[in-house]
Amino acid sequence: MLCRFVDENLIGSPDLHLMAPDGLKYPQPSIMYGRTDIVSVTPWLAPVVWEGTFNPVILDSIYQKKNISIAATVFAVGKYIMFLKNFLETAEQHFFVGFRVNVYVFTDRPKEVPEVKMAAGRELIVRSVPSSKRWQEISARRMELIQTLIEETLLNNVDYIFCLDVDSKFHSRWGTESLGGLVAVIHPGYYQDNRDKFPYERRPSSRAYLAPGEGDFYYCGGAFGGLLMEVHQLAKTCHKNFEDDAKENIEAAWQEESHLNRYMWTNKPSKVLSPEYLWQDFKPRNPEIHTVRFSGVIKNYAEVRPH
Ligand code: UDP
Ligand code: MN
């Protein structure tokens, strides 16, 4: 049997060669029947992940064999520390359960990081960062810190990374179906809109500029990820473009989110996650959303953000 035995050393990326264990039984797949209320592939043939388009049993058994490990980054600066407990506790219940996960918390209040019991193989790592007077600055610095974390700590230790907003919590499974080279999440607020309504940066002087008629989807800055090297390239590019803009006194409309959207226009994500992967608690659930997996909690901006 060809390809029965694979030399792991030759298969460089955990994203390649999807090998299922022997003896796995599951319902027969079909290319004729399935969900018809949503689109589950982009025009460049990246899957769009929706409930009902994947079988978690197949995916988990493929990735268990690979013994992958996943890093998650979350920033909890200033009063946003109040969101951390819920984020971490629900991540334990729903985020890559049964896999090796390292959660990196960046905060200016390390003493206030809650004690959360982590399952075996899962770890919480706290990194101190300075506090900030402007919330835009906190958001902007994320890309730089992610870039540095990858270079200094994660290289050679971790396969995938996801970067997530702290003012959110998990409600159901977020797992191996989300793995891919470059992974973007569709923003829940704009997926039914015409692209001309997307809040992209519209000033040509910014490096985040997207012209009318450009852009595939509006992706959210609150969740993205993928293979380590892909996310490194993204973080490095967005950080540099943000800094170069700043030197010319320009700040993109939605800071890193604008730069992320500009990046994804040129560098197409190899997997796209539906708005199930970042809903908002204040939004009634639309009929095509069968499962809310992760969603932003309702917050009082005036209360939590520095002024
Ligand atoms: N953040 C933080 N402290 C702040 C502002 C922002 O730690 O004072 C971090 C936090 O992780 C937050 C993310 O930056 O989830 C993005 O900001 P925010 O959630 O306020 O943006 P929104 O989701 O409302 O667009
Ligand atoms: Mn948020």
Side-chain angles (χ1 to χ4, degrees), residues 57-105:
V57 175
I58 307 175
L59 285 162
D60 281 356
S61 55
I62 289 169
Y63 287 98
Q64 285 290 1
K65 270 176 89 83
K66 290 174 181 282
N67 192 25
I68 54 163
S69 87
I70 299 126
T73 62
V74 64
F75 288 74
V77 178
K79 291 181 184 161
Y80 277 59
I81 193 88
M82 72 165 77
F83 301 113
L84 190 57
K85 188 167 194 287
N86 221 262
F87 174 94
L88 293 171
E89 284 178 353
T90 57
E92 276 301 287
Q93 291 159 18
H94 301 294
F95 185 73
F96 286 96
V97 175
F99 287 83
R100 294 193 286 140
V101 174
N102 284 350
V103 181
Y104 289 87
V105 173

Side-chain angles (χ1 to χ4, degrees), residues 82-288:
M82 72 165 77
F83 301 113
L84 190 57
K85 188 167 194 287
N86 221 262
F87 174 94
L88 293 171
E89 284 178 353
T90 57
E92 276 301 287
Q93 291 159 18
H94 301 294
F95 185 73
F96 286 96
V97 175
F99 287 83
R100 294 193 286 140
V101 174
N102 284 350
V103 181
Y104 289 87
V105 173
F106 290 86
T107 183
D108 57 338
R109 303 180 181 189
K111 291 202 187 84
E112 290 173 46
V113 172
E115 291 267 339
V116 174
K117 193 169 166 11
M118 309 284 284
R122 300 169 71 98
E123 209 182 322
L124 186 70
I125 299 121
V126 180
R127 292 284 174 105
S128 285
V129 292
S131 50
S132 201
K133 284 192 199 69
R134 288 180 71 240
W135 62 266
Q136 293 91 335
E137 215 172 273
I138 299 165
S139 148
R141 255 203 336 246
R142 282 201 286 188
M143 288 296 188
E144 182 181 7
L145 288 163
I146 290 163
Q147 179 192 340
T148 319
L149 178 74
I150 294 175
E151 289 168 2
E152 291 177 357
T153 312
L154 303 185
L155 223 64
N156 305 322
N157 295 322
V158 165
D159 300 303
Y160 296 94
I161 179 170
F162 286 93
C163 309
L164 305 168
D165 261 19
V166 73
D167 59 331
S168 33
K169 63 184 200 184
F170 294 87
H171 298 265
S172 60
R173 177 194 167 93
W174 177 322
T176 47
E177 74 283 357
S178 68
L179 295 176
L182 181 62
V183 181
V185 182
I186 306 258
H187 195 292
Y190 304 95
Y191 68 98
Q192 292 167 334
D193 290 341
N194 189 287
R195 52 156 65 133
D196 295 327
K197 288 224 190 84
F198 293 167
Y200 292 146
E201 173 55 54
R202 298 300 190 182
R203 292 166 295 176
S205 53
S206 168
R207 284 150 190 85
Y209 174 64
L210 281 170
E214 294 184 339
D216 299 300
F217 306 107
Y218 191 74
Y219 302 110
C220 55
F224 57 88
L227 282 174
L228 213 58
M229 291 320 291
E230 288 280 3
V231 177
H232 180 254
Q233 189 63 32
L234 161 87
K236 190 174 161 182
T237 307
C238 290
H239 168 232
K240 176 156 197 324
N241 288 341
F242 190 98
E243 292 287 308
D244 289 349
D245 267 12
K247 281 181 207 143
E248 293 168 14
N249 279 321
I250 184 157
E251 184 174 276
W254 291 99
Q255 295 84 33
E256 57 171 4
E257 187 170 81
S258 306
H259 288 280
L260 176 119
N261 272 281
R262 176 63 190 85
Y263 184 86
M264 299 279 182
W265 168 237
T266 304
N267 307 274
K268 303 296 193 205
S270 58
K271 188 168 275 184
V272 173
L273 306 182
S274 72
E276 294 169 5
Y277 289 81
L278 189 37
W279 199 246
Q280 281 166 342
D281 282 354
F282 67 77
K283 264 177 86 73
R285 192 200 287 197
N286 291 346
E288 63 277 9

Side-chain angles (χ1 to χ4, degrees), residues 287-306:
E288 63 277 9
I289 306 294
H290 293 183
T291 312
V292 172
R293 303 172 189 283
F294 186 59
S295 113
V297 303
I298 295 167
K299 66 180 185 288
N300 179 343
Y301 282 97
E303 205 179 286
V304 295
R305 277 183 178 172

